[in-house]
Amino acid sequence: MTYIITNPCVGTCDTACVEVCPVDCIHGPDNPEGSGAEAKKAGFDATGKQLFINPEECIDCGACEPECPVDAIYDEDEVPEEYRGSIAENYSFFGQDAPA
Ligand code: SF4
Ligand code: SF4
């Protein structure tokens, strides 16, 4: 199980979630190997971008969810229908297959 970042992050991408993640598993926006914290420090241009959570690293603590100003973060099982496409997108960003 993992948390998933969905479409509303695109264009907001303010890294508020990155601040609270205890395992620094929120990555991107362009680099699956780089942490969101590093991206923030580098002053990345968030226009049209979003961050992603590595499903293999997320410990399902839920700390990030209430921090998001645009309600983009959901437990994988609770992603609303209109954002379900973000699940596969999130997994594939890290070269992983989404659960069937
Ligand atoms: S649920 Fe916890 S571990 Fe997973 S991305 Fe959010 S803050 Fe990080
Ligand atoms: S807090 Fe929300 S909008 Fe900001 S980067 Fe995280 S998921 Fe995206």
Side-chain angles (χ1 to χ4, degrees):
M1 197 57 65
T2 182
Y3 276 64
I4 298 286
I5 297 180
T6 62
N7 268 24
C9 177
V10 177
T12 303
C13 205
D14 66 348
T15 71
C17 53
V18 168
E19 307 285 333
V20 299
C21 180
V23 294
D24 200 15
C25 70
I26 303 175
H27 296 257
D30 295 320
N31 179 8
E33 305 296 326
S35 75
E38 287 165 353
K40 186 181 181 189
K41 262 190 225 152
F44 71 94
D45 174 12
T47 309
K49 296 175 180 172
Q50 75 160 86
L51 302 188
F52 292 99
I53 294 168
N54 189 333
E56 288 178 356
E57 297 175 353
C58 176
I59 59 170
D60 302 327
C61 71
C64 54
E65 185 179 1
E67 298 302 315
C68 181
V70 291
D71 294 334
I73 307 175
Y74 295 90
D75 185 293
E76 185 174 20
D77 281 345
E78 292 168 7
V79 175
E81 196 56 41
E82 66 264 41
Y83 303 142
R84 298 293 291 176
S86 294
I87 297 176
E89 203 181 339
N90 187 91
Y91 276 86
S92 68
F93 184 72
F94 300 99
Q96 301 166 24
D97 293 326

